[in-house]
Amino acid sequence: MKKFPLIVIVLLALVGIGLLMGGFKSFFLLIISVIIGALIFTLLLRLFASRKTDSNYQKAVKQSKNLHDSKKKTKKKRKSSFKVIDGGKK
């Protein structure tokens, strides 16, 4: 297990003391406001990120996939250009 540097422990202790200095009521209000803010941010992010791409682009992607898949399936194995020459051993 990694040990935390002393400065990280001191900073965490100061943050904890600072949060508790305002009393438990302000501490819980802070936690609730952070949770609500995170939920709103997540919902907005999903709303804007879930926009569908252009339908013409989707058609082009599908056509390209079909074109490349058909080329891979129709490849045939070529015969080797090397030939065996029997030597005349006596």
Side-chain angles (χ1 to χ4, degrees):
M1 188 165 91
K2 291 183 178 181
K3 292 185 178 182
F4 289 108
L6 183 60
I7 190 151
V8 173
I9 295 171
V10 171
L11 284 175
L12 287 175
L14 289 174
V15 167
I17 291 170
L19 287 174
L20 294 175
M21 287 288 280
F24 286 108
K25 185 177 179 181
S26 65
F27 178 69
F28 287 121
L29 286 175
L30 175 69
I31 290 176
I32 290 171
S33 63
V34 167
I35 291 172
I36 291 173
L39 286 174
I40 292 171
F41 180 73
T42 304
L43 290 175
L44 288 175
L45 187 65
R46 285 190 182 186
L47 177 69
F48 291 118
S50 67
R51 290 185 179 176
K52 291 189 176 184
T53 56
D54 190 21
S55 63
N56 291 333
Y57 175 74
Q58 291 291 340
K59 288 179 186 177
V61 168
K62 187 183 282 187
Q63 186 179 9
S64 177
K65 283 183 180 179
N66 289 337
L67 180 67
H68 290 293
D69 286 343
S70 65
K71 284 184 179 179
K72 290 179 182 176
K73 291 178 183 175
T74 59
K75 274 190 174 180
K76 293 183 180 179
K77 192 172 180 180
R78 294 182 183 177
K79 280 190 171 183
S80 175
S81 62
F82 298 112
K83 295 183 181 180
V84 177
I85 300 174
D86 291 329
K89 291 187 181 181
K90 295 184 181 181

mmCIF file of all heavy atoms in Angstrom, residues 33-68:
data_model
loop_
_atom_site.group_PDB
_atom_site.id
_atom_site.type_symbol
_atom_site.label_atom_id
_atom_site.label_comp_id
_atom_site.label_asym_id
_atom_site.label_seq_id
_atom_site.Cartn_x
_atom_site.Cartn_y
_atom_site.Cartn_z
ATOM 1 N N SER A 33 -25.779 20.357 -1.849
ATOM 2 C CA SER A 33 -25.633 21.233 -3.010
ATOM 3 C C SER A 33 -24.637 20.660 -4.022
ATOM 4 O O SER A 33 -24.839 20.791 -5.228
ATOM 5 C CB SER A 33 -25.214 22.639 -2.582
ATOM 6 O OG SER A 33 -23.948 22.601 -1.970
ATOM 7 N N VAL A 34 -23.600 20.004 -3.556
ATOM 8 C CA VAL A 34 -22.641 19.369 -4.475
ATOM 9 C C VAL A 34 -23.306 18.223 -5.223
ATOM 10 O O VAL A 34 -23.121 18.071 -6.438
ATOM 11 C CB VAL A 34 -21.391 18.880 -3.705
ATOM 12 C CG1 VAL A 34 -20.554 17.949 -4.556
ATOM 13 C CG2 VAL A 34 -20.559 20.059 -3.246
ATOM 14 N N ILE A 35 -24.114 17.423 -4.541
ATOM 15 C CA ILE A 35 -24.805 16.308 -5.197
ATOM 16 C C ILE A 35 -25.795 16.818 -6.233
ATOM 17 O O ILE A 35 -25.848 16.310 -7.363
ATOM 18 C CB ILE A 35 -25.503 15.424 -4.142
ATOM 19 C CG1 ILE A 35 -24.458 14.676 -3.312
ATOM 20 C CG2 ILE A 35 -26.457 14.441 -4.798
ATOM 21 C CD1 ILE A 35 -25.027 13.930 -2.131
ATOM 22 N N ILE A 36 -26.565 17.850 -5.877
ATOM 23 C CA ILE A 36 -27.526 18.415 -6.827
ATOM 24 C C ILE A 36 -26.806 19.030 -8.032
ATOM 25 O O ILE A 36 -27.218 18.838 -9.176
ATOM 26 C CB ILE A 36 -28.428 19.454 -6.126
ATOM 27 C CG1 ILE A 36 -29.350 18.751 -5.130
ATOM 28 C CG2 ILE A 36 -29.240 20.251 -7.146
ATOM 29 C CD1 ILE A 36 -30.149 19.691 -4.261
ATOM 30 N N GLY A 37 -25.717 19.726 -7.795
ATOM 31 C CA GLY A 37 -24.937 20.298 -8.890
ATOM 32 C C GLY A 37 -24.368 19.231 -9.808
ATOM 33 O O GLY A 37 -24.375 19.379 -11.033
ATOM 34 N N ALA A 38 -23.878 18.143 -9.225
ATOM 35 C CA ALA A 38 -23.332 17.051 -10.033
ATOM 36 C C ALA A 38 -24.425 16.399 -10.874
ATOM 37 O O ALA A 38 -24.197 16.056 -12.040
ATOM 38 C CB ALA A 38 -22.660 16.021 -9.137
ATOM 39 N N LEU A 39 -25.621 16.232 -10.295
ATOM 40 C CA LEU A 39 -26.724 15.638 -11.048
ATOM 41 C C LEU A 39 -27.147 16.535 -12.217
ATOM 42 O O LEU A 39 -27.363 16.052 -13.327
ATOM 43 C CB LEU A 39 -27.924 15.392 -10.130
ATOM 44 C CG LEU A 39 -27.792 14.224 -9.158
ATOM 45 C CD1 LEU A 39 -28.984 14.187 -8.221
ATOM 46 C CD2 LEU A 39 -27.664 12.918 -9.916
ATOM 47 N N ILE A 40 -27.250 17.833 -11.967
ATOM 48 C CA ILE A 40 -27.626 18.768 -13.037
ATOM 49 C C ILE A 40 -26.571 18.776 -14.137
ATOM 50 O O ILE A 40 -26.881 18.731 -15.326
ATOM 51 C CB ILE A 40 -27.851 20.180 -12.471
ATOM 52 C CG1 ILE A 40 -29.108 20.197 -11.589
ATOM 53 C CG2 ILE A 40 -27.956 21.216 -13.586
ATOM 54 C CD1 ILE A 40 -29.305 21.480 -10.823
ATOM 55 N N PHE A 41 -25.306 18.803 -13.746
ATOM 56 C CA PHE A 41 -24.213 18.783 -14.726
ATOM 57 C C PHE A 41 -24.233 17.508 -15.557
ATOM 58 O O PHE A 41 -24.068 17.541 -16.778
ATOM 59 C CB PHE A 41 -22.867 18.931 -14.001
ATOM 60 C CG PHE A 41 -21.694 18.924 -14.915
ATOM 61 C CD1 PHE A 41 -21.402 20.000 -15.724
ATOM 62 C CD2 PHE A 41 -20.866 17.812 -14.993
ATOM 63 C CE1 PHE A 41 -20.322 19.996 -16.578
ATOM 64 C CE2 PHE A 41 -19.780 17.790 -15.835
ATOM 65 C CZ PHE A 41 -19.511 18.883 -16.635
ATOM 66 N N THR A 42 -24.467 16.361 -14.915
ATOM 67 C CA THR A 42 -24.511 15.081 -15.622
ATOM 68 C C THR A 42 -25.682 15.040 -16.595
ATOM 69 O O THR A 42 -25.530 14.581 -17.731
ATOM 70 C CB THR A 42 -24.631 13.928 -14.609
ATOM 71 O OG1 THR A 42 -23.553 14.009 -13.681
ATOM 72 C CG2 THR A 42 -24.594 12.580 -15.302
ATOM 73 N N LEU A 43 -26.843 15.517 -16.162
ATOM 74 C CA LEU A 43 -28.001 15.519 -17.051
ATOM 75 C C LEU A 43 -27.786 16.430 -18.258
ATOM 76 O O LEU A 43 -28.130 16.062 -19.388
ATOM 77 C CB LEU A 43 -29.246 15.951 -16.278
ATOM 78 C CG LEU A 43 -29.766 14.951 -15.238
ATOM 79 C CD1 LEU A 43 -30.920 15.557 -14.459
ATOM 80 C CD2 LEU A 43 -30.184 13.655 -15.902
ATOM 81 N N LEU A 44 -27.218 17.610 -18.039
ATOM 82 C CA LEU A 44 -26.936 18.512 -19.162
ATOM 83 C C LEU A 44 -25.902 17.917 -20.111
ATOM 84 O O LEU A 44 -26.025 18.038 -21.340
ATOM 85 C CB LEU A 44 -26.457 19.864 -18.647
ATOM 86 C CG LEU A 44 -27.506 20.743 -17.982
ATOM 87 C CD1 LEU A 44 -26.858 22.000 -17.407
ATOM 88 C CD2 LEU A 44 -28.589 21.107 -18.980
ATOM 89 N N LEU A 45 -24.899 17.275 -19.563
ATOM 90 C CA LEU A 45 -23.864 16.658 -20.394
ATOM 91 C C LEU A 45 -24.452 15.545 -21.254
ATOM 92 O O LEU A 45 -24.157 15.455 -22.447
ATOM 93 C CB LEU A 45 -22.743 16.116 -19.504
ATOM 94 C CG LEU A 45 -21.510 15.595 -20.217
ATOM 95 C CD1 LEU A 45 -20.815 16.732 -20.941
ATOM 96 C CD2 LEU A 45 -20.570 14.941 -19.239
ATOM 97 N N ARG A 46 -25.300 14.717 -20.671
ATOM 98 C CA ARG A 46 -25.924 13.640 -21.443
ATOM 99 C C ARG A 46 -26.883 14.195 -22.478
ATOM 100 O O ARG A 46 -27.019 13.631 -23.563
ATOM 101 C CB ARG A 46 -26.659 12.681 -20.512
ATOM 102 C CG ARG A 46 -25.727 11.785 -19.755
ATOM 103 C CD ARG A 46 -26.487 10.723 -19.043
ATOM 104 N NE ARG A 46 -25.571 9.890 -18.273
ATOM 105 C CZ ARG A 46 -25.937 8.812 -17.634
ATOM 106 N NH1 ARG A 46 -27.196 8.436 -17.641
ATOM 107 N NH2 ARG A 46 -25.048 8.102 -16.974
ATOM 108 N N LEU A 47 -27.570 15.273 -22.154
ATOM 109 C CA LEU A 47 -28.519 15.862 -23.091
ATOM 110 C C LEU A 47 -27.806 16.362 -24.342
ATOM 111 O O LEU A 47 -28.243 16.111 -25.465
ATOM 112 C CB LEU A 47 -29.269 17.017 -22.433
ATOM 113 C CG LEU A 47 -30.255 17.778 -23.306
ATOM 114 C CD1 LEU A 47 -31.447 16.890 -23.631
ATOM 115 C CD2 LEU A 47 -30.697 19.044 -22.616
ATOM 116 N N PHE A 48 -26.691 17.067 -24.166
ATOM 117 C CA PHE A 48 -25.975 17.607 -25.317
ATOM 118 C C PHE A 48 -25.103 16.571 -26.008
ATOM 119 O O PHE A 48 -24.837 16.687 -27.194
ATOM 120 C CB PHE A 48 -25.127 18.807 -24.901
ATOM 121 C CG PHE A 48 -25.959 20.003 -24.531
ATOM 122 C CD1 PHE A 48 -25.913 20.523 -23.247
ATOM 123 C CD2 PHE A 48 -26.792 20.597 -25.456
ATOM 124 C CE1 PHE A 48 -26.674 21.621 -22.900
ATOM 125 C CE2 PHE A 48 -27.560 21.696 -25.124
ATOM 126 C CZ PHE A 48 -27.511 22.209 -23.838
ATOM 127 N N ALA A 49 -24.662 15.548 -25.303
ATOM 128 C CA ALA A 49 -23.799 14.546 -25.906
ATOM 129 C C ALA A 49 -24.587 13.496 -26.669
ATOM 130 O O ALA A 49 -24.036 12.794 -27.504
ATOM 131 C CB ALA A 49 -22.951 13.873 -24.823
ATOM 132 N N SER A 50 -25.877 13.374 -26.408
ATOM 133 C CA SER A 50 -26.656 12.314 -27.046
ATOM 134 C C SER A 50 -27.274 12.746 -28.372
ATOM 135 O O SER A 50 -28.110 12.043 -28.902
ATOM 136 C CB SER A 50 -27.766 11.852 -26.100
ATOM 137 O OG SER A 50 -28.711 12.879 -25.906
ATOM 138 N N ARG A 51 -26.887 13.886 -28.880
ATOM 139 C CA ARG A 51 -27.412 14.318 -30.177
ATOM 140 C C ARG A 51 -26.946 13.346 -31.252
ATOM 141 O O ARG A 51 -25.787 12.939 -31.298
ATOM 142 C CB ARG A 51 -26.922 15.716 -30.524
ATOM 143 C CG ARG A 51 -27.531 16.781 -29.674
ATOM 144 C CD ARG A 51 -27.101 18.132 -30.156
ATOM 145 N NE ARG A 51 -27.695 19.167 -29.349
ATOM 146 C CZ ARG A 51 -27.452 20.441 -29.478
ATOM 147 N NH1 ARG A 51 -26.598 20.842 -30.399
ATOM 148 N NH2 ARG A 51 -28.028 21.315 -28.706
ATOM 149 N N LYS A 52 -27.877 12.994 -32.123
ATOM 150 C CA LYS A 52 -27.539 12.051 -33.187
ATOM 151 C C LYS A 52 -26.746 12.766 -34.273
ATOM 152 O O LYS A 52 -26.929 13.950 -34.529
ATOM 153 C CB LYS A 52 -28.799 11.442 -33.776
ATOM 154 C CG LYS A 52 -29.499 10.515 -32.817
ATOM 155 C CD LYS A 52 -30.602 9.771 -33.509
ATOM 156 C CE LYS A 52 -31.218 8.780 -32.535
ATOM 157 N NZ LYS A 52 -32.231 7.961 -33.158
ATOM 158 N N THR A 53 -25.900 11.996 -34.914
ATOM 159 C CA THR A 53 -25.122 12.566 -36.012
ATOM 160 C C THR A 53 -26.000 12.700 -37.245
ATOM 161 O O THR A 53 -27.120 12.197 -37.293
ATOM 162 C CB THR A 53 -23.903 11.678 -36.320
ATOM 163 O OG1 THR A 53 -24.370 10.351 -36.592
ATOM 164 C CG2 THR A 53 -22.942 11.646 -35.162
ATOM 165 N N ASP A 54 -25.492 13.342 -38.246
ATOM 166 C CA ASP A 54 -26.233 13.598 -39.475
ATOM 167 C C ASP A 54 -26.640 12.287 -40.142
ATOM 168 O O ASP A 54 -25.868 11.329 -40.191
ATOM 169 C CB ASP A 54 -25.347 14.423 -40.414
ATOM 170 C CG ASP A 54 -26.107 14.949 -41.602
ATOM 171 O OD1 ASP A 54 -27.342 15.042 -41.526
ATOM 172 O OD2 ASP A 54 -25.444 15.289 -42.599
ATOM 173 N N SER A 55 -27.876 12.217 -40.637
ATOM 174 C CA SER A 55 -28.370 10.977 -41.245
ATOM 175 C C SER A 55 -27.595 10.640 -42.517
ATOM 176 O O SER A 55 -27.386 9.465 -42.821
ATOM 177 C CB SER A 55 -29.860 11.080 -41.538
ATOM 178 O OG SER A 55 -30.102 12.107 -42.473
ATOM 179 N N ASN A 56 -27.148 11.650 -43.268
ATOM 180 C CA ASN A 56 -26.350 11.386 -44.470
ATOM 181 C C ASN A 56 -25.021 10.743 -44.096
ATOM 182 O O ASN A 56 -24.531 9.855 -44.796
ATOM 183 C CB ASN A 56 -26.097 12.674 -45.248
ATOM 184 C CG ASN A 56 -27.363 13.221 -45.871
ATOM 185 O OD1 ASN A 56 -28.289 12.469 -46.161
ATOM 186 N ND2 ASN A 56 -27.414 14.527 -46.066
ATOM 187 N N TYR A 57 -24.457 11.188 -42.996
ATOM 188 C CA TYR A 57 -23.198 10.588 -42.531
ATOM 189 C C TYR A 57 -23.418 9.134 -42.135
ATOM 190 O O TYR A 57 -22.608 8.269 -42.452
ATOM 191 C CB TYR A 57 -22.654 11.394 -41.350
ATOM 192 C CG TYR A 57 -21.432 10.797 -40.710
ATOM 193 C CD1 TYR A 57 -20.191 10.861 -41.334
ATOM 194 C CD2 TYR A 57 -21.512 10.136 -39.490
ATOM 195 C CE1 TYR A 57 -19.072 10.301 -40.761
ATOM 196 C CE2 TYR A 57 -20.404 9.573 -38.900
ATOM 197 C CZ TYR A 57 -19.184 9.665 -39.545
ATOM 198 O OH TYR A 57 -18.086 9.105 -38.974
ATOM 199 N N GLN A 58 -24.529 8.850 -41.460
ATOM 200 C CA GLN A 58 -24.830 7.475 -41.053
ATOM 201 C C GLN A 58 -24.997 6.578 -42.279
ATOM 202 O O GLN A 58 -24.523 5.442 -42.304
ATOM 203 C CB GLN A 58 -26.102 7.439 -40.200
ATOM 204 C CG GLN A 58 -25.949 8.064 -38.840
ATOM 205 C CD GLN A 58 -25.061 7.254 -37.920
ATOM 206 O OE1 GLN A 58 -24.844 6.063 -38.144
ATOM 207 N NE2 GLN A 58 -24.539 7.892 -36.909
ATOM 208 N N LYS A 59 -25.657 7.084 -43.308
ATOM 209 C CA LYS A 59 -25.827 6.309 -44.538
ATOM 210 C C LYS A 59 -24.472 6.033 -45.192
ATOM 211 O O LYS A 59 -24.225 4.930 -45.689
ATOM 212 C CB LYS A 59 -26.732 7.060 -45.513
ATOM 213 C CG LYS A 59 -28.181 7.073 -45.106
ATOM 214 C CD LYS A 59 -28.997 7.865 -46.107
ATOM 215 C CE LYS A 59 -30.430 8.021 -45.658
ATOM 216 N NZ LYS A 59 -31.233 8.845 -46.582
ATOM 217 N N ALA A 60 -23.612 7.020 -45.209
ATOM 218 C CA ALA A 60 -22.290 6.845 -45.821
ATOM 219 C C ALA A 60 -21.462 5.823 -45.059
ATOM 220 O O ALA A 60 -20.751 5.009 -45.662
ATOM 221 C CB ALA A 60 -21.559 8.187 -45.882
ATOM 222 N N VAL A 61 -21.547 5.840 -43.741
ATOM 223 C CA VAL A 61 -20.806 4.868 -42.931
ATOM 224 C C VAL A 61 -21.306 3.463 -43.211
ATOM 225 O O VAL A 61 -20.523 2.524 -43.379
ATOM 226 C CB VAL A 61 -20.929 5.216 -41.433
ATOM 227 C CG1 VAL A 61 -20.428 4.084 -40.563
ATOM 228 C CG2 VAL A 61 -20.167 6.486 -41.121
ATOM 229 N N LYS A 62 -22.629 3.300 -43.270
ATOM 230 C CA LYS A 62 -23.204 1.978 -43.536
ATOM 231 C C LYS A 62 -22.789 1.477 -44.919
ATOM 232 O O LYS A 62 -22.419 0.310 -45.089
ATOM 233 C CB LYS A 62 -24.720 2.049 -43.442
ATOM 234 C CG LYS A 62 -25.398 0.696 -43.542
ATOM 235 C CD LYS A 62 -26.916 0.829 -43.508
ATOM 236 C CE LYS A 62 -27.371 1.042 -42.094
ATOM 237 N NZ LYS A 62 -28.845 1.006 -41.960
ATOM 238 N N GLN A 63 -22.818 2.369 -45.909
ATOM 239 C CA GLN A 63 -22.430 1.988 -47.259
ATOM 240 C C GLN A 63 -20.954 1.601 -47.310
ATOM 241 O O GLN A 63 -20.577 0.632 -47.963
ATOM 242 C CB GLN A 63 -22.709 3.145 -48.213
ATOM 243 C CG GLN A 63 -22.471 2.824 -49.666
ATOM 244 C CD GLN A 63 -22.792 4.007 -50.560
ATOM 245 O OE1 GLN A 63 -23.026 5.107 -50.083
ATOM 246 N NE2 GLN A 63 -22.792 3.786 -51.858
ATOM 247 N N SER A 64 -20.119 2.341 -46.612
ATOM 248 C CA SER A 64 -18.690 2.038 -46.586
ATOM 249 C C SER A 64 -18.421 0.688 -45.921
ATOM 250 O O SER A 64 -17.597 -0.089 -46.397
ATOM 251 C CB SER A 64 -17.941 3.146 -45.842
ATOM 252 O OG SER A 64 -16.580 2.836 -45.738
ATOM 253 N N LYS A 65 -19.127 0.414 -44.838
ATOM 254 C CA LYS A 65 -18.958 -0.881 -44.167
ATOM 255 C C LYS A 65 -19.381 -2.026 -45.073
ATOM 256 O O LYS A 65 -18.705 -3.053 -45.147
ATOM 257 C CB LYS A 65 -19.771 -0.914 -42.868
ATOM 258 C CG LYS A 65 -19.136 -0.151 -41.744
ATOM 259 C CD LYS A 65 -19.956 -0.278 -40.469
ATOM 260 C CE LYS A 65 -19.322 0.498 -39.339
ATOM 261 N NZ LYS A 65 -20.122 0.408 -38.097
ATOM 262 N N ASN A 66 -20.503 -1.859 -45.760
ATOM 263 C CA ASN A 66 -20.959 -2.908 -46.675
ATOM 264 C C ASN A 66 -19.960 -3.121 -47.801
ATOM 265 O O ASN A 66 -19.704 -4.254 -48.215
ATOM 266 C CB ASN A 66 -22.329 -2.561 -47.251
ATOM 267 C CG ASN A 66 -23.422 -2.661 -46.223
ATOM 268 O OD1 ASN A 66 -23.289 -3.365 -45.226
ATOM 269 N ND2 ASN A 66 -24.513 -1.948 -46.450
ATOM 270 N N LEU A 67 -19.392 -2.057 -48.316
ATOM 271 C CA LEU A 67 -18.429 -2.151 -49.408
ATOM 272 C C LEU A 67 -17.172 -2.886 -48.968
ATOM 273 O O LEU A 67 -16.683 -3.770 -49.656
ATOM 274 C CB LEU A 67 -18.078 -0.746 -49.912
ATOM 275 C CG LEU A 67 -17.073 -0.659 -51.055
ATOM 276 C CD1 LEU A 67 -17.672 -1.250 -52.322
ATOM 277 C CD2 LEU A 67 -16.672 0.782 -51.290
ATOM 278 N N HIS A 68 -16.658 -2.544 -47.798
ATOM 279 C CA HIS A 68 -15.425 -3.162 -47.334
ATOM 280 C C HIS A 68 -15.645 -4.595 -46.853
ATOM 281 O O HIS A 68 -14.769 -5.436 -46.999
ATOM 282 C CB HIS A 68 -14.790 -2.325 -46.221
ATOM 283 C CG HIS A 68 -14.244 -1.026 -46.714
ATOM 284 N ND1 HIS A 68 -13.163 -0.945 -47.561
ATOM 285 C CD2 HIS A 68 -14.641 0.250 -46.505
ATOM 286 C CE1 HIS A 68 -12.902 0.313 -47.845
ATOM 287 N NE2 HIS A 68 -13.792 1.072 -47.220
#
